[in-house]
Amino acid sequence: MKDETKHVQMNKAMWDQWAEAGTLDNNGRKSRFLREAQSKVVSLLNVKENVHFLDVGCGTGWAVGQVAKLVNDKGLFYGVDLSEKMIEKAKSNFSGKDNFHFLQANSESIPLDDNFFDIIICTNSFHHYLHPDKALKEIHRLLKSGGKLYILDPLADSWVIKFWDVMAKLIEPEHVKIYSMKEFQQLFEQAGLRYSSVKADWHQGIHIGEK
Ligand SMILES: C[S@@+](CC[C@H](N)C(=O)[O-])C[C@H]1O[C@@H](n2cnc3c(N)ncnc32)[C@H](O)[C@@H]1O
């Protein structure tokens, strides 16, 4: 059982370091891998003008900007992230835009209003959450009725990823757990979300839910 305070500290420190090093934005191997994954999610969204959109674990806000572009910035665009440094960068990337809001918060407790969002996404962040059930309950609370959730994360249905999960738990202090499709379905349903579909390949899945 992980010590909660220690986990949050290590998790923040790791992502603060990534933010300072520009790892998400430097067009290096990690950055390209993550952008490709985010692009896959963005391509699935049915975004309409005046959308209320949230990215949980938003990093420096790249996907938020991509979604906003689809509707010429017409809507309210939010990102939350545990790392203060990520949020600082996101704020500076969208400075001067009043309808873009970036907040430092843990996904398990997000200081935003109930029933507010049409679309929430979460990409390559979920396996770092100590209490995934709490994060999903928060997302459920934040979504409007009929609102949609898209979580992209590694998928523990192949032995390669199961092995990686075991190794990552040993070497990465902020890693928590990679879930299988069945576990995602159970987590969604326990949070009151309908698990409407999944798009998966051998190593990652996009889990789509609806409130
Ligand atoms: C690998 S990065 C992915 C960033 C971005 N979503 C992307 O796809 O490029 C993981 C992000 O999740 C954030 N994160 C990790 N644990 C979190 C938590 N408990 N609550 C909110 N954000 C968290 C990190 O700070 C980091 O920015």
Side-chain angles (χ1 to χ4, degrees), residues 7 11 15-16 18 24 34-35 37-38 55-60 80-83 86 105-108 122-125 128-130:
H7 172 79
N11 204 10
W15 300 113
D16 279 351
W18 273 48
L24 293 182
L34 292 167
R35 291 277 155 93
Q38 288 173 300
D55 185 354
V56 177
C58 64
T60 55
V80 299
D81 200 283
L82 186 67
S83 154
M86 289 286 184
N106 191 322
S107 58
E108 297 169 16
C122 174
T123 56
N124 276 307
S125 183
H128 301 289
Y129 301 167
L130 199 52

Side-chain angles (χ1 to χ4, degrees), residues 25-185:
D25 306 302
N26 63 7
N27 203 28
R29 193 177 51 83
K30 286 177 182 158
S31 157
R32 280 183 274 119
F33 173 81
L34 292 167
R35 291 277 155 93
E36 194 184 321
Q38 288 173 300
S39 300
K40 279 187 193 157
V41 171
V42 172
S43 74
L44 294 176
L45 308 179
N46 180 13
V47 192
K48 305 217 169 85
E49 284 189 3
N50 303 319
V51 66
H52 291 184
F53 173 82
L54 170 66
D55 185 354
V56 177
C58 64
T60 55
W62 185 79
V64 177
Q66 294 303 110
V67 170
K69 265 190 203 157
L70 296 173
V71 286
N72 299 315
D73 286 2
K74 290 194 177 117
L76 291 174
F77 304 96
Y78 285 76
V80 299
D81 200 283
L82 186 67
S83 154
E84 267 141 38
K85 305 271 178 212
M86 289 286 184
I87 290 300
E88 273 170 26
K89 288 216 164 178
K91 281 184 177 167
S92 117
N93 288 341
F94 296 90
S95 66
K97 295 192 175 196
D98 292 348
N99 53 337
F100 287 67
H101 304 278
F102 292 95
L103 289 91
Q104 187 278 326
N106 191 322
S107 58
E108 297 169 16
S109 173
I110 300 175
L112 293 170
D113 288 346
D114 298 0
N115 305 311
F116 187 72
F117 290 99
D118 302 292
I119 302 174
I120 298 182
I121 70 166
C122 174
T123 56
N124 276 307
S125 183
F126 196 75
H127 56 282
H128 301 289
Y129 301 167
L130 199 52
H131 304 292
D133 52 338
K134 283 194 191 164
L136 282 169
K137 285 208 175 105
E138 269 303 75
I139 287 170
H140 178 272
R141 178 183 70 74
L142 296 168
L143 277 174
K144 289 178 185 170
S145 172
K148 288 208 165 188
L149 167 66
Y150 297 74
I151 296 186
L152 179 145
D153 220 49
L155 195 57
D157 287 69
S158 72
W159 71 264
V160 182
I161 301 296
K162 275 191 194 128
F163 178 69
W164 180 47
D165 190 32
V166 173
M167 296 309 289
K169 278 178 192 152
L170 296 175
I171 56 181
E172 289 180 1
E174 79 302 334
H175 181 95
V176 177
K177 178 175 157 56
I178 296 174
Y179 304 92
S180 67
M181 226 182 271
K182 197 159 174 223
E183 287 172 319
F184 263 107
Q185 177 162 8

